[in-house]
Amino acid sequence: MQSYFKVEGGNKLTGSIEINGAKNSILALLIASSMTNQVVTIEDVQNIKDVRSLIKKIKKLNSTIIINDNSFRKTIILDNKNLKYRDLFMDEISEFRASYYFIGAMIGRYKKCNLLLPGGCFLGPRPIDLHLKGFEELGCTIIEKEENGKTKLFIDTKDGLHGSDIFLDFPSVGATINIMLAATLAEGTTTIENAAKEPEIIDVATMLTSMGAIIKGAGTNVITISGVKKLNGCFHQTIPDRIEAGTYIMYGAVLGENLIINNIIPEHLEGLISKLTKMGVNLKIGDDYIKIINRKKEFKGVPITTGVYPSFPTDLQQVYVTLLTQCYGTTNVTETIFPDRFRHCEYLNEMGANIKVNSGEYLSKATVDGFSNLVGKDVMATDLRAGAALIFAGLIADGTTTIKNINHVLRGYDNIVEKLTLVGAKIELCEGE
Ligand code: EPZ
């Protein structure tokens, strides 16, 4: 039996949507908690598939995990006093991209880590060469072994983990966080130059600092970490998920009637807000919310090029393309981070959009015609954010849209059916062939 979403189009969205903790912080925060033998409490954790799957993995290290589940906001308490090192050769490690954070955490705490190489995902190969290069500069020896078509990594620090000056060839979010994890327990000082500046980097650095780490410059392109002997327990409140927030703000731009997106940090969404304002979207920006009044006039398509923070985020590009189908004019979208992020456009075109995609190895472009009348169809999510883009198209389209492969969506949008239904959308999670 395969679950799918069924969406009836044409309904206004009115009321308030609560945003939860940032998925792309939480995955690192949960693993970072394994770096101490004390209790770590993380508040406002989304109850999404990726988090549930990661909790199962951390439990295999003998961490005791309690989840306090009160409606939308969940608190996770991880008691790591019985934590034990173990090799991570389970298949589910290579299937879960963010498993790479176990490397930084375990070489930090145990000075070694043997695991299955975390795989790519639906966005392409997604190597971790920048992570591994950083670990080597911290004193790690890394041996790769192919066994039954799988790559095992054997990472050791016989001569100890020591600080180093590391320059990232690309400001990779994962590599920045991963090297920062390991460096907190290395001997001496580490600098990470050309570091990623995403808000999630700051969030992880904030929790590590509460645990006793000494980190300066998180959020800038140079981060300095002075190694300490051990890390302690802490309480951490996760930052709101800017991608979840941006997704619902764009839904509201077309369908909102006094729709409030609550519990956000507007500064984290400047890349999106500037484009929506230029488009003519009627936004009211509060301290921790954004209100979409209503759609007074037709929007002008505004071109975007995705890039590293604070540029327009790649994770919001796909939902933005659906928004462009409802603007006037033909608009260009350039994807510079994950060139494979236009694969769902064929389904949007089946629904009545007119999007031409020009895919490259390092950069892809889409040309989106506006004023498309979308009609409900049977479509399939090709990745997490593509699923959100197809739900958006279904909410706009005439008639019924069914969306398969929704496991992608459930990885990153907590309670999406409940949150949208609460504001008037007709969307349900169905079981069927
Ligand atoms: C994080 O992925 C996010 N995932 C992604 O969110 C997000 O799209 C991405 O950052 C960019 O913001 C998590 O945080 C779990 P990168 P990450 O390392 O760390 C290349 C979502 O939808 N690269 O910044 O993997 C890589 O191939 C997901 O929530 C190397 O070449 O992103 C990509 O082209 C999707 N070698 C580019 O850098 C490396 O060692 C950006 O990757 C690492 C990355």
Side-chain angles (χ1 to χ4, degrees):
M1 295 276 265
Q2 199 196 41
S3 324
Y4 62 93
F5 287 135
K6 190 163 95 172
V7 183
E8 300 295 337
N11 297 288
K12 283 283 173 221
L13 304 179
T14 302
S16 168
I17 294 181
E18 289 296 314
I19 298 302
N20 285 106
K23 164 182 89 80
N24 291 345
S25 277
I26 290 163
L27 299 178
L29 297 173
L30 288 171
I31 295 179
S33 74
S34 66
M35 297 177 76
T36 174
N37 58 6
Q38 295 177 15
V39 174
V40 172
T41 302
I42 303 172
E43 191 153 86
D44 199 1
V45 177
Q46 289 197 50
N47 180 18
I48 47 178
K49 198 164 164 283
D50 272 8
V51 167
R52 292 193 296 274
S53 143
L54 187 51
I55 285 171
K56 274 194 210 128
K57 294 173 187 61
I58 298 174
K59 278 184 174 170
K60 287 186 176 164
L61 296 177
N62 226 20
S63 177
T64 308
I65 298 178
I66 302 159
I67 298 174
N68 287 344
D69 187 350
N70 56 329
S71 78
F72 277 139
R73 304 224 177 276
K74 292 163 187 59
T75 299
I76 295 199
I77 302 166
L78 302 104
D79 181 346
N80 298 306
K81 62 177 174 302
N82 301 318
L83 214 65
K84 287 191 180 44
Y85 171 84
R86 60 169 289 181
D87 289 346
L88 299 171
F89 292 141
M90 306 84 93
D91 276 347
E92 65 265 34
I93 286 289
S94 64
E95 289 151 14
F96 186 69
R97 170 88 183 143
S99 301
Y100 48 49
Y101 289 133
F102 279 112
I103 306 173
M106 295 179 89
I107 57 173
R109 180 166 176 184
Y110 299 109
K111 309 299 182 260
K112 69 173 186 175
C113 176
N114 301 331
L115 83 165
L116 279 184
L117 177 68
C121 72
F122 299 90
L123 295 174
R126 295 182 72 186
I128 60 165
D129 55 311
L130 299 174
H131 302 233
L132 300 180
K133 188 166 154 272
F135 294 135
E136 284 172 336
E137 295 192 39
L138 292 177
C140 294
T141 50
I142 301 172
I143 297 166
E144 287 190 25
K145 275 190 191 147
E146 294 298 321
E147 268 178 35
N148 316 321
K150 295 193 175 93
T151 306
K152 283 185 175 178
L153 294 179
F154 295 85
I155 303 173
D156 209 338
T157 57
K158 284 196 178 49
D159 307 329
L161 199 62
H162 56 73
S164 175
D165 292 335
I166 297 167
F167 181 86
L168 288 179
D169 296 339
F170 177 87
S172 149
V173 171
T176 301
I177 291 176
N178 222 350
I179 295 164
M180 189 165 68
L181 291 178
T184 56
L185 290 171
E187 190 81 32
T189 300
T190 297
T191 53
I192 305 172
E193 292 188 45
N194 196 26
K197 299 190 282 189
E198 275 71 2
E200 291 76 24
I201 313 278
I202 301 172
D203 199 26
V204 174
T206 303
M207 188 176 99
L208 289 170
T209 305
S210 314
M211 294 168 76
I214 302 169
I215 301 173
K216 289 190 178 57
T220 74
N221 58 1
V222 180
I223 302 176
T224 304
I225 304 111
S226 308
V228 294
K229 287 271 174 269
K230 69 189 272 287
L231 294 174
N232 308 309
C234 75
F235 171 89
H236 181 74
Q237 164 82 41
T238 316
I239 58 169
D241 192 318
R242 61 194 169 100
I243 306 302
E244 184 192 19
T247 300
Y248 292 127
I249 289 167
M250 286 192 272
Y251 287 12
V254 175
L255 299 160
E257 192 82 38
N258 294 322
L259 178 70
I260 297 176
I261 311 298
N262 225 359
N263 184 38
I264 69 165
I265 299 176
E267 294 72 33
H268 291 171
L269 285 153
E270 274 168 6
L272 172 66
I273 291 169
S274 66
K275 298 297 180 188
L276 296 182
T277 308
K278 220 166 148 188
M279 204 180 249
V281 179
N282 192 359
L283 295 175
K284 181 176 180 318
I285 300 172
D287 294 340
D288 61 354
Y289 70 88
I290 281 189
K291 184 173 182 179
I292 296 105
I293 319 293
N294 61 13
R295 190 172 167 187
K296 280 207 170 67
K297 58 180 182 173
E298 293 311 338
F299 300 145
K300 176 168 65 81
V302 175
I304 59 164
T305 298
T306 65
V308 297
Y309 192 83
S311 304
F312 193 98
T314 173
D315 294 347
L316 288 176
Q317 173 267 99
Q318 291 150 300
V319 175
Y320 189 81
V321 164
T322 299
L323 174 57
L324 287 176
T325 67
Q326 303 305 301
C327 300
Y328 63 79
T330 296
T331 312
N332 288 328
V333 171
T334 306
E335 171 61 59
T336 68
I337 308 287
F338 294 116
D340 276 355
R341 270 196 133 143
F342 290 119
R343 284 179 307 137
H344 68 296
C345 292
E346 59 175 290
Y347 293 111
L348 290 175
N349 287 339
E350 280 178 23
M351 294 177 74
N354 185 18
I355 304 167
K356 290 182 189 60
V357 174
N358 180 0
S359 290
E361 191 179 352
Y362 300 106
L363 175 143
S364 291
K365 278 183 185 291
T367 304
V368 187
D369 280 353
F371 280 158
S372 302
N373 293 317
L374 301 181
V375 176
K377 288 279 182 198
D378 296 340
V379 297
M380 193 174 284
T382 48
D383 69 70
L384 164 57
R385 309 300 176 182
L390 292 168
I391 289 173
F392 188 15
L395 292 169
I396 296 167
D398 294 330
T400 305
T401 300
T402 64
I403 300 157
K404 289 201 179 97
N405 264 10
I406 57 164
N407 265 346
H408 289 304
V409 181
L410 299 175
R411 281 185 47 221
Y413 288 95
D414 193 9
N415 286 312
I416 187 165
V417 171
E418 295 78 1
K419 290 184 179 184
L420 286 173
T421 305
L422 264 178
V423 293
K426 292 267 177 297
I427 176 172
E428 52 181 309
L429 178 57
C430 306
E431 297 298 332
E433 291 312 305

